[in-house]
Amino acid sequence: MSKKELFVKASNKNLSRNYVGANSFAYALRKQSGKTMRVNPRLQRRGLDAQLQNRFPFGILSLFLVLALSSVAPAESLSKKEALARRIDSILAQARGDKTKWAVEVVSLDTGDTLYQKNPHQLMIPASNIKLFTTAAALYYLGPGFTTRTSFYYDGPVSAEGVLKGNLIVYGRGDPNISGRFTDKPTTIFEQAAASLKSLGLRQVQGDVIGDDSYFDAQYYGPWSPEHSRKWYAARVSALSFNDNCTDLCVSPSKPGQKARISQAPWTSYPRVINNASTTSSKNGSVWISPGGDGSAVVVSGKIWSRKKAEVLFFPVESPSLYAATVFKETLARSGIKVSGKARALDASHKSAVPRGALPVYEYESLPLSEMIKVVNKRSQNLHAELILKQVGYQSRFGPTFEGGASAVENFVGAANIDRDSVIICDGSGLSTQNRASAHSFVQLLRFMDTSAWSEPFRESLAIVGTDRTVRSLAPVVPHGSILAKTGSLKNAISLSGYADGKTERLAFSIIANDFKGDQFRIKQIRNKICKELVNY
């Protein structure tokens, strides 16, 4: 018998003799770990147990290697996409039991692959994420360079002495930024107009100052719940808007027991301010505003703590065009132009006061649309969104109304190859709880805009993590600038849709939560954890 045959025979004897010993070692390990483990029969037949008996240290190393490989093999078998899905599922599982409805979709902009979906086609209340459709449609219909004009007209002759024998008309076309947002104070634009008219020789207006907002319809309050009517974010929507159509009141304490001090910016006689607020020594004091009488006044009530800093309150005016006309009349007076008549809005017919064929004596051109939509998406400014919605309705010929603007946006949805059944538009801001959209529709919109001619102004309008306040809760979670998005928030709806820069891919995503109970903090935490996974992808 050859040496090779003798070696094989001896090995087979050792294998038979030492089988029990090797399994006893495996059993000991199994018992100590508390886990069920079986030695693979194929490895037994190949002599592994004999090797464990004859070369004990190598046997231990081999066994541990087998155990280690078996424990990591499932993780290694997961694709990058599957691992992301498991992590997001795990995060969303934290909300189980509270009946929160989630709709989530994540798509790679680089490959087009869908990386994650949960109820992607479920129609949800999107809150302010609807502004993404409004602003995208505005870029589609109007273009980023679109501007509008506020014009000033005379409806009578001006004498050699500078006396206008008629009315001075301020005609608005939906400029949302006649305010102090981009100037040093709210009245800057009106002061420029007054200075121009004075330079043309105007010294007196014998008639009235008329605020003409007939460019849009006369439905000022949107399709919203009455509970919002006294809130600044539900400001009345007028083609002639001033100072976000709100009066700004600063309430300061005096001595306990005395009236609180109130200042108004800008100061104006409309609306009239009634001060019923007092100062208290209690820390629990609070102040609030309510409408007075026929809407021509606002009433400040409550108590403010004597050691508290000033509190600023914003209240929507009932007639934006009267508000603008009043402030402009007062601006004219300060510039030395006397107005014999009054400030007024259009009558109930809502017909324009501008004579046919009249030429403006002064015009102010708005900022371009690319700047307007930054206020809408970065600051989530509702009035500006609604003004843009009606502007879209006017320019697209669907009509300068809430309904006309909504129809124009839905028409854009179809033009962008987005499933029209997945989007229901009722307003431009998302304040209406009748709006509906799916997470998939938002991702479709984001993908369309990413490759469109308006990609740059659209992206620049979104809130940047680390820069803009509306996404400040994400700043401690993800790197600055890694997410560009639009937030959304209502009583029972939280949404976030936008773009995320992952480690290797650019992503478009939409996260919507509806019907949750309790405060929004926990829902936002879950949302933020998902965002962290996206930027690490």
Side-chain angles (χ1 to χ4, degrees), residues 477-521:
V477 181
V478 302
H480 288 195
S482 60
I483 286 181
L484 309 177
K486 177 72 198 74
T487 55
S489 177
L490 286 174
K491 185 177 181 180
N492 63 343
I494 290 288
S495 55
L496 185 76
S497 300
Y499 301 108
D501 287 336
K503 289 183 176 179
T504 58
E505 295 182 44
R506 298 179 307 119
L507 312 177
F509 69 91
S510 181
I511 306 168
I512 309 173
N514 282 183
D515 299 338
F516 51 83
K517 303 298 181 182
D519 63 39
Q520 300 179 347
F521 178 74

Side-chain angles (χ1 to χ4, degrees), residues 161-178:
E161 292 77 22
V163 179
L164 169 60
K165 297 180 180 180
N167 303 305
L168 198 165
I169 304 158
V170 186
Y171 185 82
R173 295 182 179 86
D175 185 351
N177 288 306
I178 303 178

